[in-house]
Amino acid sequence: MGTEVFRRRPRRPAPVLPSGEIALQAPPELPKVRNNLAQLLMVLPMLGGAGAMMFLFAGAGAGGGRGRGPMMWVVGGLMGASMLGMTLMSVGRPQMGKKSEL
């Protein structure tokens, strides 16, 4: 097995840098974001799901882990409301995004 010497070609010269003043355009202004009720409503289904999980794990020790008792009805109701809320917000979100585009 032999060694082959490889020599690179010399580098090309650097491009000529512009001289003088360069005119730049100002970036477009961003629309003002309004904090409205829709932003708050997007968070509520997630908080409901987190609360349902908290009740589920807190109630598992009290119910013996068998899924009986009124706490499981509360957990099921919160989970159902959370899923319904997330579904409604995902259906309504494309219309909200079109209004905020530049």
Side-chain angles (χ1 to χ4, degrees):
M1 192 174 270
T3 303
E4 189 174 326
V5 178
F6 177 77
R7 298 215 184 251
R8 291 179 53 173
R9 292 185 294 170
R11 292 181 184 239
R12 290 188 286 174
V16 179
L17 296 176
S19 61
E21 190 171 322
I22 300 173
L24 298 176
Q25 294 179 351
E29 291 186 23
L30 296 176
K32 292 183 180 180
V33 177
R34 295 181 297 175
N35 293 332
N36 54 9
L37 186 61
Q39 290 177 341
L40 177 65
L41 290 176
M42 288 176 62
V43 176
L44 288 179
M46 290 185 278
L47 290 176
M53 282 302 212
M54 181 182 69
F55 286 139
L56 178 70
F57 289 120
R66 292 185 296 265
R68 297 181 183 157
M71 186 59 88
M72 290 301 126
W73 286 99
V74 171
V75 170
L78 275 175
M79 278 292 190
S82 174
M83 287 189 299
L84 182 65
M86 285 186 192
T87 303
L88 292 175
M89 291 309 294
S90 68
V91 168
R93 187 171 174 97
Q95 285 81 22
M96 291 188 323
K98 289 180 183 177
K99 293 178 183 176
S100 66
E101 288 181 4
L102 290 176

